[in-house]
Amino acid sequence: MFVKNHALKSVALAALIASPSFAATAYINQIGYRPGDFKELALVDANGNVDFVNAAGQVVLSVTPKAASYWNASGQNVQLVDFSKL
């Protein structure tokens, strides 16, 4: 998945996990973020840290998601990931 907006270079989102076949679902603002905005995404069925990777494949930010909690809007247990440092 690539996240793109005016303030950021393209970054890929990848979850670091023990099994290479693991896949999580990420819900993210598809409109974009302004440079000073709070930036957060929601993960479903995830475990481990989340790495944000630039186009060269270098990790530019690694985040430990918050503990999972029930989200009434979706009816799912989600983990929030704050990537405002990007």
Side-chain angles (χ1 to χ4, degrees):
M1 173 173 123
F2 284 93
V3 179
K4 195 171 188 179
N5 71 42
H6 300 294
L8 301 175
K9 294 182 180 179
S10 295
V11 293
L13 171 67
L16 287 180
I17 47 97
S19 167
S21 63
F22 176 83
T25 301
Y27 295 97
I28 191 165
N29 177 342
Q30 295 180 1
I31 296 172
Y33 302 92
R34 294 176 298 189
D37 284 354
F38 177 73
K39 299 167 187 78
E40 189 172 64
L41 62 88
L43 291 177
V44 177
D45 297 327
N47 68 28
N49 288 346
V50 175
D51 286 344
F52 291 84
V53 180
N54 66 15
Q58 300 166 318
V59 175
V60 294
L61 179 66
S62 185
V63 179
T64 300
K66 295 178 182 176
S69 61
Y70 186 75
W71 188 16
N72 287 328
S74 70
Q76 298 169 305
N77 286 317
V78 300
Q79 292 176 280
L80 298 177
V81 178
D82 178 0
F83 62 101
S84 298
K85 292 181 182 179
L86 278 182

